[in-house]
Amino acid sequence: MSLPTVTAAEIFLRYEEIRPRLPSSQFPVSSRHVANLGDLMGEIDVFLLDAFGVLNVGERAIPGAVERLASLRQAGKKIFVVTNSAAFTAEKALAKYHSLGFELTQDQVISSRDAALSALDDFPAVKSWGVAAMRGSGLETIPAETRLLEEDQAVYDAVHGFLFLSAAEWTPKRQELLLCSLRQNPRPLLVGNPDLVAPREYGLSREPGFFAHEIADQIAINPVFYGKPFAAVFARALGIHGIHGIPTHRIAMVGDTLHTDILGGAAAGLRTVLVTDHGLLKDENVPDLIRQSGIVPDFIAKTT
């Protein structure tokens, strides 16, 4: 059974519904409009870039994004990708960025997947993890005993905790199996990708955060999230050699989503840039959504 399509307007309302589970922050009174990131070279030294909606939409690079990153690099700016995409290892993510034309190195990719995997030791009672992921997504690299979650209820019931990395092959049946197993025996649920959706060529794909929040609505468990807007992934970014010590007002989180990139960046004490023309909020009334949510970016740019 396929899931019905969702719109950006519906996802905005859903983010507002789950707002009590998201970090809180303070925001500027208003935003300054700029054409692109090049206009910020004089006041930003470090650019933390979301991927979907800032660098690419699905499997296509955003027009001009490759050239923009090259110009920032030539100007001596530090560039990092901070991505909630947890489906694949950082090595595979880097290979994708290279295929799109972006000149990045391994240490420039900061993923929520890595943030989640580094937290597994915080759950010593969990001897085996049921993992929501795709076949071939690198489960053998996870430093723990894992079992892929598919259609067998016995697997869900046998593991000691759950790790949600990808929803690419997730189905309503698998969601029900996970929900039933957690209802009968509550266990940790770690979510490597807190996004509700991601922009693709064909529309919006549901991501792990969408399903994790559905579960949290229905049963008394609190999923633990390891990507934007939550603190763990920003702590990894700000702890990188070369960033540590730079004043936070000279660091900007750049993204296409108010409730993940902008809220998360502001909660981490960073300046924020909302890119409007390629991602989740493309064709939406952005000023109205900012007013409704109260999530105000420092800067608004049409494109990267």
Side-chain angles (χ1 to χ4, degrees):
M1 181 178 67
S2 61
L3 293 164
T5 58
V6 291
T7 66
E10 291 170 332
I11 291 302
F12 174 84
L13 293 176
R14 179 58 174 152
Y15 270 122
E16 284 293 286
E17 288 177 353
I18 63 171
R19 191 75 175 270
R21 298 190 189 116
L22 306 183
S24 58
S25 186
Q26 295 182 334
F27 304 96
V29 174
S30 61
S31 306
R32 191 204 319 167
H33 288 260
V34 296
N36 54 58
L37 300 185
D39 290 347
L40 299 176
M41 286 192 186
E43 50 194 303
I44 300 298
D45 297 321
V46 180
F47 291 87
L48 306 179
L49 306 173
D50 183 28
F52 280 76
V54 174
L55 301 182
N56 61 289
V57 174
E59 303 305 314
R60 293 184 291 105
I62 288 171
V66 170
E67 295 78 9
R68 181 71 57 216
L69 264 63
S71 68
L72 293 174
R73 183 173 58 252
Q74 291 167 4
K77 304 302 177 182
K78 297 180 183 296
I79 300 167
F80 298 88
V81 178
V82 182
T83 177
N84 277 1
S85 179
F88 297 106
T89 63
E91 290 79 9
K92 284 194 174 182
L94 182 64
K96 174 181 178 177
Y97 300 140
H98 285 171
S99 73
L100 296 175
F102 295 102
E103 294 185 17
L104 297 165
T105 60
Q106 191 69 66
D107 61 357
Q108 290 177 281
V109 180
I110 302 161
S111 77
S112 59
R113 176 187 174 116
D114 289 341
L117 296 187
S118 69
L120 295 182
D121 288 342
D122 296 339
F123 299 86
V126 177
K127 304 305 181 184
S128 62
W129 294 91
V131 184
M134 296 179 289
R135 289 188 175 273
S137 60
L139 265 63
E140 69 279 359
T141 69
I142 296 175
E145 180 184 335
T146 62
R147 299 185 69 179
L148 185 65
L149 297 176
E150 295 183 297
E151 309 294 318
D152 186 351
Q153 181 75 67
V155 173
Y156 292 76
D157 294 342
V159 296
H160 304 101
F162 297 96
L163 178 61
F164 210 142
L165 296 179
S166 171
E169 297 178 356
W170 201 242
T171 65
K173 179 179 179 180
R174 295 181 186 189
Q175 179 76 352
E176 186 61 27
L177 291 173
L178 177 56
L179 180 64
C180 288
S181 187
L182 282 170
R183 182 178 282 124
Q184 294 173 6
N185 178 18
R187 283 153 288 167
L189 172 59
L190 279 56
V191 185
N193 181 351
D195 287 348
L196 299 186
V197 296
R200 311 277 181 175
E201 297 93 336
Y202 56 81
L204 300 175
S205 63
R206 287 172 172 82
E207 299 300 321
F210 184 96
F211 299 100
H213 284 289
E214 275 195 347
I215 290 172
D217 286 345
Q218 296 181 59
I219 58 178
I221 68 164
N222 294 311
V224 187
F225 296 94
Y226 290 96
K228 299 168 294 181
F230 299 91
V233 74
F234 288 101
R236 288 179 72 86
L238 296 178
I240 289 176
H241 178 71
I243 293 183
H244 184 70
I246 294 177
T248 53
H249 73 275
R250 303 286 300 183
I251 304 174
M253 178 67 223
V254 183
D256 71 309
T257 307
L258 289 170
H259 292 86
T260 58
D261 305 306
I262 305 306
L263 175 59
L270 311 178
R271 299 175 88 181
T272 58
V273 186
L274 179 69
V275 176
T276 60
D277 281 13
H278 310 292
L280 179 63
L281 303 184
K282 180 183 178 182
D283 301 324
E284 298 299 309
N285 185 334
V286 172
D288 187 53
L289 298 182
I290 290 173
R291 282 192 296 270
Q292 288 184 53
S293 65
I295 300 173
V296 183
D298 291 281
F299 307 99
I300 297 175
K302 287 183 176 297
T303 190
T304 307

